[in-house]
Amino acid sequence: MPHADDRTLLRELAEAYASAADRRDDDAFVALFTPTATLTIRQGGAVLGTFTGRDGLCGATAPLDAYSATMHFVGNHACAVDGDAATATTYCLANHLRPAGDGGVENLRMVIRYDDRCVRGADGRWRYAARDLDILWTEVAPASVAPLAL
């Protein structure tokens, strides 16, 4: 069982990833990974993309630019720590706003599971050595960005 501090720090790593992706902050995003890390994105068993090393990870958030806004909600998080190494599984609901065919706005929601290998660096910070992103399913729903009448 991981120490509570390690569990908290590993969950904060997952939350920092979601925040950096939503802000399209490449510097913050890349800093969450080791220099030789890999990020692999899958859907239905097919590999959609693999980003390797910090140079490769610099462009990993670029596909999100296709959406007017995104919001990733980190849910369940389980981890196992062995010294300075850890594995973790994190669930996420990722919302992606885009134009709808009828001229309105729609939300492409992705249900995602991340399977991670993490390492603690000499600076004490946890980083991803490998992150496997598996899109389990998607759903599309109408959305509105109009101001609410209060």
Side-chain angles (χ1 to χ4, degrees):
M1 186 67 124
H3 187 273
D5 289 342
D6 286 327
R7 280 197 312 265
T8 299
L9 292 171
L10 287 162
R11 180 173 175 90
E12 287 175 354
L13 178 64
E15 291 169 348
Y17 173 99
S19 179
D22 288 336
R23 291 187 335 266
R24 314 298 189 272
D25 185 339
D26 274 344
D27 292 337
F29 186 85
V30 171
L32 302 172
F33 292 84
T34 66
T36 59
T38 60
L39 170 64
T40 303
I41 301 171
R42 293 183 177 82
Q43 185 175 17
V47 174
L48 302 179
T50 300
F51 304 89
T52 304
R54 287 192 170 154
D55 287 342
L57 287 160
C58 280
T61 64
L64 297 176
D65 290 339
Y67 305 99
S68 59
T70 60
M71 186 169 289
H72 292 69
F73 289 99
V74 175
N76 299 6
H77 183 265
C79 59
V81 176
D82 183 11
D84 290 335
T87 57
T89 299
T90 306
Y91 295 149
C92 176
L93 294 177
N95 297 280
H96 304 75
L97 289 184
R98 64 184 184 189
D102 64 2
V105 178
E106 64 186 15
N107 179 23
L108 169 63
R109 178 175 294 126
M110 298 180 189
V111 178
I112 297 171
R113 183 186 64 235
Y114 298 99
D115 292 307
D116 304 320
R117 284 187 304 109
C118 305
V119 295
R120 186 186 344 246
D123 61 0
R125 291 184 55 199
W126 286 101
R127 290 182 177 82
Y128 295 114
R131 181 157 239 216
D132 292 334
L133 183 165
D134 192 6
I135 302 168
L136 302 177
W137 70 85
T138 62
E139 45 190 47
V140 177
S144 174
V145 293
L148 296 175
L150 301 178

